[in-house]
């Protein structure tokens, strides 16, 4: 293990998510982000409902770094849900615009949202292939 290894700039940019957020719109509930000690992984605790269905679980966000290999460049995640789902995502934050792709970067299913100037709200929505999706607002609480 290299002692010079540091979390990537793309991952560190997600620090603005740290805290608890109220989610309104097409999904309702709260999400809470916190750094795992060491700063290499951001944890998201999810407690949402959407169309009467519950989405509760834990998402681990970071750069893949398989044993003996260099860290990957994309910020990826896996969500582990209480219903047994495992969902993969790719995160990218450029300026005030956050994009989260379902599966691989460039996927036709994605979230895109924009942070307010004070960083305490983000508005955007999920887009699904063939139409659909929903608008949502995150407000820091």
């Amino acid at each position: 293990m290299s002692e010079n290894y540091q979390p990537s700039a793309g991952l560190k940019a997600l620090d603005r998510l740290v805290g608890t957020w109220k989610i309104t719109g097409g999904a309702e509930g709260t999400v809470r982000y916190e750094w795992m000690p060491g700063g290499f992984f951001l944890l998201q605790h999810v407690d949402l409902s959407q169309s009467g269905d519950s989405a509760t679980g834990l998402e681990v966000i970071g750069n893949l770094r398989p044993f003996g290999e260099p860290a990957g460049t994309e910020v990826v995640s896996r969500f582990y849900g209480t219903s047994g789902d495992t969902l993969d995502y790719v995160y990218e934050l450029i300026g005030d615009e956050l994009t989260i792709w379902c599966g691989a970067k460039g996927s036709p299913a994605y979230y895109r949202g924009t942070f307010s100037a004070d960083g305490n709200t983000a508005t955007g929505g999920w887009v699904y292939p063939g139409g659909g999706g929903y608008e949502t607002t995150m407000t820091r609480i």
Side-chain angles (χ1 to χ4, degrees), residues 68-82:
E69 296 181 26
T73 57
E74 290 184 341
V75 177
V76 299
S77 75
R78 176 160 283 174
F79 171 80
Y80 299 91
T82 56

Side-chain angles (χ1 to χ4, degrees), residues 6-105:
Q6 296 293 317
S8 73
L11 178 61
K12 289 193 287 189
L14 298 180
D15 188 60
R16 68 193 309 176
L17 291 170
V18 171
T20 302
W21 300 81
K22 179 179 179 181
I23 308 299
T24 58
E28 303 278 332
T30 59
V31 297
R32 180 174 51 89
Y33 292 89
E34 66 179 338
W35 288 109
M36 178 184 280
F40 289 97
F41 297 98
L42 184 62
L43 307 177
Q44 180 185 195
H45 303 268
V46 177
D47 187 7
L48 298 173
S49 64
Q50 180 184 10
S51 304
D53 291 328
S54 174
T56 303
L58 174 68
E59 184 175 13
V60 180
I61 306 163
N63 299 95
L64 293 179
R65 187 175 175 213
F67 184 73
E69 296 181 26
T73 57
E74 290 184 341
V75 177
V76 299
S77 75
R78 176 160 283 174
F79 171 80
Y80 299 91
T82 56
S83 63
D85 292 329
T86 57
L87 306 172
D88 295 328
Y89 299 94
V90 176
Y91 278 68
E92 184 175 69
L93 180 60
I94 298 175
D96 289 330
E97 187 174 89
L98 174 65
T99 304
I100 306 169
W101 289 276
C102 295
K105 185 174 180 176

